[in-house]
Structures are given as structure tokens and as C-alpha cells.
């Protein structure tokens, strides 16, 4: 069994970006600039946004955080996005999800300038990605693709099971893996909450992507020998032995599954770090198109 080390791979991605930013600054160009919008004070969202901003700083990107209270009016958010859309100093706009219930997520996401849609959630990005055209790819599936590439994992002709069909993880992941592309060409089965016989489907999979948000869901009896297992899940589980009062658990019963796998991602230290690296890559790509 080999660990797919998100720390190592994301560091390599960030080091490359850092060098590219340094070269830009040397030639008197401005640094790429990410704008992050955070609504409310959800602990996990706070942590994710803080980490994205810290990572921007580490590699020399500029970042701006726009914070709003939990009861902000939708219109105020939309006005902020309109301003950021036309602000030439901003390359990428990310809106940390989930948003409070009174705000329609699609109204906010769909207003983002597709050229600045570094999270890849805008329908234009989704459409282009689905057609195999150059586009921003949602950061988590993109990060997983970077990981598969780094470890040169054979995917062509393999059976892949993606558990979860969300627009930000499961769905785009299933599309990418099925496409005629490097690290694609899988035969993909998308499983979800209504799927029957999920265990049998998983047992046929050479590659399993677990993205459902249920800690320890994928157990050893559901995984075939030498499978590649990618754990996307991030759930906070109460843990009094930790200072924070919680620990982070993935969707895979890592302890029992790992020994059966050829490759597996740990949680933490796997897909989460790759997601941030992919977001930074998208922001750099956005910057390059704005320079033209
Ligand atoms: P979501 O709640 O939007 O979607 C969950 C999906 O799982 C749904 O499509 C649902 O049909 C499916 N599902 C639920 N129960 C199931 C079951 N018993 N069997 C089969 N399928 C089932 O979640 P999401 O936004 O896609 O996130 C999934 C998980 O990934 C969460 O833990 C989230 O925190 C995590 N996540 C991690 C990263 C990262 O960077 N590592 C990024 C995004 C999300």
C-alpha cells in the first residue's frame, strides 16, 4: 500500500506557483489576486477560508477577504460580486459555501464573472468542463486529478465508483474520470443516497472515490484487493482528547481499508490539501488570461 500524500504533492504544486509568481514580480508585474467571500461564522468555513488565504500568502498571491454577517441580505452579496467582477485588480472570486438558507446559492454563484470563477461552480465552467473544453475545474476534483497524475496512477479502462453526486465533488469527478483524457478513460458508476447494492458496485471498482460526508462509511468488506481509494470526506467528529474538541474524519475506514489498497489518501493530509493547491492553480490561470 502506498499513501497518496496530499502534503507532498500540494507542496510541489505550490512551490512551482511560488516560482512563477516570483518571476512575475521580477518582471514588474502584479501578483495574482484572489477575493474570498465569507458569510457568517461557521467554524469549518472559517477554517477553510483562513487556510486558503494563508496559502495565497505563502506563494506570493494577494488575497482580500470580504466578510458578511449571517443575516446579510442577498442583494448586498450580489452587489459585492458585481464590483469584484469588474475590478481589474481581482483575478479570482470564491464564495465559501454553504451560504445561509435565506440566500440562494445559485443566484450568487451564477453572478460570478466566469473568467474569475476559480471554484469552477459557474454553469459556464461546468458546461465547458463537461464538453472537454478548457475551463476552471472545481478545485476538489481538479486536486484529485493532480494527485492521480503525480503518482501516475493507471486509470484507462478501469472501473471507477464515485460515491456522491454533488455539483462540487461527485458529479464533476465522475465526468472527468469518464472523459477521453490523460488520467481519465474510466468506466464510471456514480452512486448516491438512492443507490441499491452499493457494496457490490464498490467491490467491482478498481478506483473508489468516497465523497458522501459519512465518517468511516467505506469499510474493508466493500473494497477489492489492490483498489485505489480516494477519500474526500471531511467531517468534524466530537473528540475530547483534542484541544479543539473535535477530530477530522474521512468517509473511509482507513485503519481497516488501507492494507487492501494499492494507493489510498489519508484524512487529513490528502484531498483537502490538494483542493487548496488546485484553487491556487485556477487563480493563476485566471490571472494569465486577464494579463492577455
Ligand atoms: P453533499 O452533501 O452535497 O453530497 C453528498 C452526496 O453523497 C449526495 O450526492 C448523496 O446522494 C450522497 N450520499 C449520501 N448518503 C449516501 C449513502 N448512504 N450512500 C451513497 N451515497 C450517499 O456533499 P459534498 O459537498 O459533495 O461533500 C461530500 C464530503 O466531502 C463532505 O464530507 C465534505 O465535507 C467533503 N468535502 C471535502 C472537500 C475537500 O477538500 N477534501 C471538498 C468538498 C467537500
Amino acid at each position: 500500500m502506498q499513501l497518496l500524500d496530499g502534503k507532498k504533492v500540494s507542496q510541489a504544486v505550490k512551490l512551482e506557483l511560488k516560482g512563477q509568481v516570483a518571476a512575475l514580480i521580477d518582471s514588474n508585474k502584479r501578483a495574482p489576486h484572489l477575493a474570498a467571500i465569507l458569510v457568517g461564522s461557521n467554524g469549518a468555513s472559517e477554517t477553510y477560508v483562513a487556510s486558503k488565504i494563508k496559502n495565497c500568502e505563502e506563494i506570493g498571491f494577494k488575497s482580500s477577504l470580504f466578510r458578511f454577517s449571517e443575516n446579510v441580505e442577498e442583494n448586498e452579496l450580489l452587489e459585492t460580486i458585481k464590483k469584484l467582477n469588474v475590478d481589474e485588480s481581482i483575478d479570482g472570486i470564491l464564495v465559501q459555501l454553504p451560504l445561509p438558507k435565506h440566500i440562494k446559492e445559485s443566484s450568487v454563484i451564477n453572478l460570478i464573472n466566469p473568467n474569475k470563477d476559480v471554484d469552477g461552480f459557474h454553469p459556464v465552467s461546468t458546461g465547458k468542463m463537461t464538453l472537454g473544453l478548457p475551463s476552471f475545474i472545481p478545485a476538489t476534483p481538479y486536486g484529485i486529478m493532480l494527485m492521480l497524475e503525480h503518482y501516475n496512477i493507471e486509470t484507462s479502462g478501469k472501473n471507477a465508483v464515485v460515491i456522491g453526486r454533488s455539483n462540487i465533488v461527485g458529479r464533476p469527478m465522475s465526468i472527468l474520470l469518464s472523459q477521453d483524457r490523460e488520467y481519465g478513460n474510466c468506466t464510471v458508476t456514480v452512486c448516491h443516497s438512492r443507490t441499491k447494492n452499493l457494496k457490490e458496485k464498490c467491490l467491482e471498482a478498481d478506483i473508489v472515490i468516497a465523497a458522501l460526508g459519512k465518517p468511516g462509511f467505506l469499510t474493508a468488506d466493500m473494497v477489492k484487493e489492490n483498489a485505489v481509494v480516494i477519500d474526500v470526506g471531511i467531517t468534524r467528529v466530537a473528540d475530547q482528547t483534542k484541544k479543539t474538541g473535535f477530530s477530522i474524519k474521512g468517509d473511509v475506514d482507513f485503519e481497516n481499508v488501507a492494507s487492501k489498497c494499492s494507493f489510498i489518501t489519508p484524512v487529513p493530509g490528502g484531498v483537502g490539501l490538494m483542493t487548496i493547491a488546485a484553487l491556487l492553480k485556477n487563480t493563476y490561470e485566471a490571472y494569465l488570461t486577464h494579463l492577455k
Side-chain angles (χ1 to χ4, degrees), residues 140 163-166 168 192-193 211-214 217 232-234 272 275:
T140 301
I163 313 175
R165 59 178 164 186
S166 73
I168 64 171
H192 46 77
S193 51
L212 69 162
K214 296 210 158 43
F217 179 87
V232 182
I234 297 184
T275 296

Side-chain angles (χ1 to χ4, degrees), residues 23-291:
L24 289 170
I25 304 299
D26 280 350
S27 55
N28 292 321
K29 299 210 168 66
R30 67 171 178 86
H33 187 175
L34 176 70
I37 295 180
L38 176 61
V39 182
S41 51
N42 171 293
S45 293
E46 294 261 1
T47 309
Y48 295 145
V49 170
S51 177
K52 288 167 188 175
I53 285 176
K54 184 167 156 272
N55 275 274
C56 280
E57 280 165 13
E58 268 174 36
I59 62 166
F61 281 12
K62 205 175 159 202
S63 62
S64 299
L65 174 59
F66 297 82
R67 293 193 76 118
F68 295 91
S69 74
E70 185 76 23
N71 46 20
V72 63
E73 283 192 22
E74 184 176 297
N75 210 34
E76 198 181 334
L77 273 188
L78 297 179
E79 287 305 317
T80 302
I81 289 179
K82 280 185 198 163
K83 283 190 195 132
L84 295 172
N85 278 345
V86 293
D87 183 337
E88 287 184 3
S89 73
I90 300 282
D91 300 297
I93 303 170
L94 85 80
V95 179
Q96 187 63 43
L97 301 179
L99 291 171
K101 292 224 164 15
H102 67 281
I103 293 171
K104 204 170 165 202
E105 259 173 32
S106 61
S107 305
V108 176
I109 299 297
N110 296 0
L111 189 66
I112 294 175
N113 177 345
N115 296 324
K116 300 188 179 188
D117 176 38
V118 289
D119 256 338
F121 298 161
H122 192 284
V124 168
S125 303
T126 309
K128 285 185 174 173
M129 180 202 67
T130 304
L131 295 171
L133 299 170
S135 70
F136 295 115
I137 296 174
T140 301
Y142 186 19
I144 293 171
M145 296 304 280
L146 292 172
M147 184 104 99
L148 295 175
E149 183 183 335
H150 182 93
Y151 286 93
N152 194 22
I153 290 174
E154 178 69 57
T155 56
S156 184
K158 303 288 184 189
N159 289 334
V161 163
V162 178
I163 313 175
R165 59 178 164 186
S166 73
N167 290 336
I168 64 171
V169 188
R171 177 80 54 207
M173 192 70 242
S174 66
I175 292 169
L176 293 167
L177 284 175
S178 70
Q179 281 175 334
D180 182 3
R181 55 155 69 222
E182 235 188 331
Y183 305 98
N185 288 311
C186 289
T187 303
V188 180
T189 306
V190 183
C191 297
H192 46 77
S193 51
R194 305 287 180 95
T195 297
K196 295 205 170 104
N197 306 324
L198 188 127
K199 179 177 168 180
E200 286 78 65
K201 291 177 169 59
C202 288
L203 280 170
E204 284 183 15
D206 305 300
I207 300 168
V208 182
I209 316 272
L212 69 162
K214 296 210 158 43
F217 179 87
L218 190 81
T219 48
D221 59 327
M222 299 167 80
V223 176
K224 84 171 180 186
E225 288 292 334
N226 292 320
V228 176
V229 172
I230 310 282
D231 190 350
V232 182
I234 297 184
T235 306
R236 291 181 169 198
V237 177
D239 182 348
Q240 293 320 317
T241 68
K242 302 276 180 197
K243 247 203 232 155
T244 52
F246 64 84
S247 52
I248 300 291
K249 295 281 177 218
D251 288 342
V252 177
D253 174 14
F254 183 91
E255 269 181 26
N256 296 306
V257 170
S259 60
K260 289 184 93 174
C261 299
S262 52
F263 294 94
I264 186 168
T265 59
V267 175
V271 174
L273 297 171
M274 291 309 302
T275 296
I276 294 183
L279 170 75
L280 298 173
K281 266 179 94 71
N282 276 344
T283 306
Y284 183 67
E285 285 303 319
Y287 169 89
L288 292 181
T289 51
H290 296 154
L291 269 194

